[in-house]
Amino acid sequence: MKQNMATPMELRCWGSDWGLPSVHTESLIVLAYAKFSGAKVTVSPIDWTWKTLTATVPELVCGESTVTEPTQILNFMRKQRFNADYELTARQGADTMAYIALLEEKLRPALLHTFWVDAENYANLTRPWFASRSPFPLNFLVPRRHANMALSRILLTKGEAPLHRITEVEGKIYSDAKECLNLLSYRLGTANYFFGNSPASLDAFVFGFVAPLHKAGLPSSPLQSHLRQLANLTRFCDNILSVYFSSSHPGKPRPPPPVQETVDANLQKLTQLVNKESNLIEKMDDNLRSSPQHKPHRPDPKSSLANEKSSTPA
Amino acid sequence: MSLAAEAFVSQMAAAEPWPENATLYQPLKEDQILLSDCASSLAVQTYLRMCGLPVQVACRANAEYMSPSGKVPFVHVGNQVVSELGPIVQFTKAKGHSLSDGLDDVQRAEMKAYMELVNNMLLTAELYIQWCDDATASEISRPRYSSPYSWPLNHILAYQKQWEVRRKMNAIGWGGKTLEQVCRIRSAFATSSAQFFFQPTELDALVFGHLFTILTTRLTSTELAERIKSYSNLLSFCRRIEQSYFEDKILSVSLSLFIPSLIPSL
């Protein structure tokens, strides 16, 4: 732990507004995960700097290494032993992957459309916000750049060659997104978090995707009104905001998940041993699935498979 | 297809039973079809077999251009043409054939999530290897893709396709990935998929389509197939589905021997 304290982690991301620690989905994911895992991250908003143009957000700077993209950052933090996924079984780890894929495929296009392509929302909410946070003359450039990227991403991933017209895909991406929200709502049920009593990386992802939609004052959004009907998802966001991002107790350190802290103390030596095996780490760090394997008795992939096998009818 | 058209089609579909002469179209099996298309096509065939719906497979060099969405495979049933697994599943459901009715809401959510995982990871990785790995693209994908066409159309179409896929990969942030990274992602998938499958559903059809195709296809690197082979439960899953649904068919290659089968030896 001390070793980690020596190299502080700095996170560059878009700043806070709308009652959220960041308005940017990817930044929110990382911020939430940092809170869940107990990592001490210094947040430095890129607002009003030239980084609004040059930086890839979110960006984690730790010593000499710089990591971008939420999944990479989460893996990096796991390597630093800030792991919120300790308790997950292999099956839950797989579920995490699957639901993240669901979010990426079904919800992201509609979110991009809602914030960046929908003319009313873009003119009244998104463009003014990002323009006001960018220094002159970037305030003219940054929002438009984001909007173009969002539009081309939607068209390339969801559009049907060779016409690529936005009106053709709008209906489809919104019905996909509503279905995705419904599925998440079913999966969450009445629980506080997706897996058990403490939040894990899937919770961070869902929070990152859903919270902006929940909190932003969008002038027109069928998706937002759909979300309003899914009470458990909005409650999920509000709960995470109040437990982990509550500004009413500014000095108060986050109550750490007790289980994980004790485990942490017990495991320190073992984890250090594991850390030495850089090879192992290399294999472990590049995907979410590896997270359960950070447990002390990290099962050899073969042996875990043998277990799986016995439960699978041949 | 617009939503209104979709709703209309499903209304129409409900009225008619599944005809005997339903046809599934895909690119030429011997020398044109690529790994990703073959996997999708096999997934649809498996799904229809699981439902017990008869379908004839027809190979057309221009299947991609015949399809309403520009993607293969597509089925021609009565008066309707439906492409891709998702819409086909909805279409058969409208006709009263469904495999996922017995699932509760949470299970269905899980199934959809895993299907997206297959699309998001396996399919994207297959496309990536086909078109963004230079060796595979020049030795396998471009020649095969353009095999029915003569010069200069073959080059134009192949490069156009490659450009299109690469733009897509850049848009979703896969542009800079190297082959090794992709292989690692796929192995990640193999680890995760070591445990799902509740009962035969469209998910199983989709997974089988992809895994079986990867196992029986020769690429420039065999790494992917090797990875999957190291998961014995995935192998037995493939073997089980193959035996239950494809016994009589050309697909019956011995999975245990892993000889490249009649399905495209890329």
Side-chain angles (χ1 to χ4, degrees):
Chain A
M1 202 55 108
K2 275 163 204 148
Q3 178 188 340
N4 290 315
M5 295 297 172
T7 47
M9 290 189 275
E10 184 195 344
L11 182 74
R12 293 184 188 141
C13 62
W14 282 102
S16 58
D17 203 353
W18 311 337
L20 296 171
S22 170
V23 299
H24 184 236
T25 291
E26 279 81 6
S27 309
L28 261 185
I29 294 171
V30 177
L31 285 169
Y33 186 82
K35 293 278 184 189
F36 297 163
S37 62
K40 301 271 183 304
V41 173
T42 323
V43 180
S44 57
I46 58 165
D47 306 11
W48 301 295
T49 66
W50 278 78
K51 289 209 180 69
T52 49
L53 184 71
T54 55
T56 321
V57 283
E59 190 176 50
L60 189 78
V61 184
C62 178
E64 285 113 58
S65 43
T66 309
V67 199
T68 56
E69 285 190 46
T71 34
Q72 302 296 327
I73 296 178
L74 262 54
N75 285 328
F76 182 82
M77 296 214 271
R78 267 184 216 114
K79 215 158 90 179
Q80 306 286 319
R81 296 186 293 106
F82 293 113
N83 192 345
D85 298 345
Y86 263 139
E87 313 254 299
L88 300 191
T89 63
R91 169 68 200 255
Q92 288 172 332
D95 284 358
T96 302
M97 292 285 285
Y99 279 100
I100 291 172
L102 183 75
L103 288 169
E104 291 282 349
E105 294 279 318
K106 299 279 188 194
L107 193 53
R108 185 186 289 279
L111 279 185
L112 288 174
H113 187 277
T114 301
F115 282 93
W116 294 104
V117 182
D118 184 286
E120 206 178 335
N121 294 337
Y122 177 67
N124 292 318
L125 183 81
T126 323
R127 189 167 54 78
W129 195 92
F130 280 86
S132 71
R133 298 285 175 130
S134 311
F136 177 85
L138 296 187
N139 54 348
F140 297 107
L141 187 62
V142 169
R144 192 173 308 160
R145 187 157 157 266
H146 280 276
N148 285 340
M149 272 160 56
L151 181 62
S152 74
R153 180 169 172 154
I154 294 171
L155 288 178
L156 285 171
T157 52
K158 297 290 158 190
E160 290 168 355
L163 285 172
H164 290 319
R165 288 228 327 273
I166 190 68
T167 45
E168 287 169 14
V169 294
E170 274 172 5
K172 177 143 180 50
I173 61 176
Y174 277 109
S175 69
D176 276 355
K178 284 176 185 172
E179 191 194 4
C180 173
L181 289 175
N182 288 343
L183 294 174
L184 287 174
S185 171
Y186 293 144
R187 175 62 185 78
L188 183 62
T190 54
N192 274 342
Y193 303 109
F194 278 88
F195 301 112
N197 290 323
S198 53
S201 50
L202 178 60
D203 300 277
F205 271 86
V206 174
F207 176 73
F209 277 90
V210 177
L213 187 64
H214 174 40
K215 288 289 181 182
L218 296 163
S220 87
S221 174
L223 200 56
Q224 191 173 39
S225 37
H226 185 83
L227 177 64
R228 294 261 153 82
Q229 291 160 24
L230 304 170
N232 60 346
L233 276 184
T234 52
R235 192 175 43 78
F236 167 81
C237 294
D238 291 333
N239 179 38
I240 288 182
L241 281 173
S242 64
V243 174
Y244 292 95
F245 294 101
S246 174
S247 52
S248 53
H249 323 283
K252 186 185 154 216
R254 179 191 71 92
V259 185
Q260 195 197 321
E261 281 305 285
T262 53
V263 171
D264 226 36
N266 292 337
L267 290 189
Q268 201 161 343
K269 276 186 185 170
L270 276 165
T271 325
Q272 276 169 357
L273 277 176
V274 174
N275 272 339
K276 279 181 191 162
E277 301 187 35
S278 58
N279 238 351
L280 223 62
I281 300 284
E282 268 307 303
K283 280 181 191 162
M284 295 189 321
D285 79 72
D286 61 351
N287 54 62
L288 283 168
R289 182 139 323 53
S290 60
S291 49
Q293 296 168 354
H294 271 253
K295 285 178 178 174
H297 315 289
R298 179 178 176 271
D300 175 300
K302 294 282 177 202
S303 73
S304 78
L305 260 173
N307 297 339
E308 306 293 358
K309 191 174 129 195
S310 60
S311 64
T312 315
Chain B
M1 199 181 342
S2 76
L3 290 181
E6 228 160 61
F8 178 70
V9 164
S10 59
Q11 284 293 317
M12 294 284 293
E16 300 164 19
W18 187 267
E20 283 301 310
N21 63 352
T23 318
L24 179 140
Y25 289 91
Q26 64 173 43
L28 301 181
K29 197 172 251 179
E30 299 301 325
D31 39 37
Q32 189 195 13
I33 198 168
L34 295 175
L35 178 62
S36 58
D37 293 341
C38 181
S40 312
S41 171
L42 186 57
V44 173
Q45 289 177 50
T46 314
Y47 174 74
L48 293 176
R49 273 161 190 267
M50 284 175 170
C51 291
L53 300 170
V55 70
Q56 291 156 356
V57 178
C59 297
R60 295 279 187 281
N62 60 343
E64 196 180 336
Y65 302 100
M66 291 162 74
S67 162
S69 71
K71 292 188 182 135
V72 287
F74 65 98
V75 287
H76 179 194
V77 181
N79 294 331
Q80 281 123 26
V81 179
V82 191
S83 69
E84 294 180 78
L85 184 62
I88 289 174
V89 168
Q90 280 180 357
F91 180 73
T92 56
K93 197 172 181 179
K95 283 197 183 296
H97 302 274
S98 172
L99 295 175
S100 49
D101 275 347
L103 303 180
D104 62 30
D105 284 342
V106 174
Q107 284 174 325
R108 198 155 47 236
E110 230 149 72
M111 184 188 76
K112 298 254 169 150
Y114 276 103
M115 287 179 76
E116 287 313 317
L117 182 66
V118 175
N119 286 333
N120 183 299
M121 291 221 146
L122 278 178
L123 187 62
T124 316
E126 280 163 11
L127 284 173
Y128 182 89
I129 288 172
Q130 277 170 200
W131 296 107
C132 301
D133 175 45
D134 286 324
T136 315
S138 62
E139 283 167 34
I140 298 169
S141 306
R142 285 201 303 264
R144 278 185 68 92
Y145 181 80
S146 58
S147 62
Y149 310 105
S150 54
W151 190 89
L153 189 60
N154 55 355
H155 290 285
I156 297 173
L157 288 176
Y159 278 101
Q160 187 190 22
K161 177 80 180 173
Q162 185 173 14
W163 182 73
E164 200 179 287
V165 174
R166 287 193 172 183
R167 270 185 66 192
K168 192 168 161 175
M169 293 291 155
N170 282 330
I172 57 173
W174 278 55
K177 291 217 165 92
T178 63
L179 190 57
E180 283 77 55
Q181 276 177 311
V182 175
C183 290
R184 263 151 65 178
I185 289 173
R186 304 189 70 153
S187 72
F189 175 77
T191 335
S192 77
S193 61
Q195 51 250 309
F196 43 94
F197 322 125
F198 327 91
Q199 61 187 56
T201 58
E202 48 263 40
L203 170 65
D204 301 75
L206 184 63
V207 174
F208 171 74
H210 283 273
L211 293 186
F212 192 89
T213 312
I214 292 168
L215 284 172
T216 51
T217 302
R218 213 185 295 134
L219 280 170
T220 46
S221 117
T222 58
E223 198 177 346
L224 307 175
E226 294 298 329
R227 300 260 183 173
I228 296 174
K229 279 184 218 170
S230 64
Y231 294 98
S232 55
N233 56 343
L234 290 182
L235 291 185
S236 60
F237 165 78
C238 284
R239 206 172 291 130
R240 207 162 60 234
I241 295 208
E242 189 202 4
Q243 280 163 2
S244 336
Y245 298 101
F246 286 98
E247 257 182 340
D248 48 328
K249 277 290 183 172
I250 44 135
L251 277 173
S252 306
V253 287
S254 169
L255 241 174
S256 49
L257 293 176
F258 297 111
I259 30 174
S261 70
L262 295 170
I263 345 185
S265 36
L266 284 194

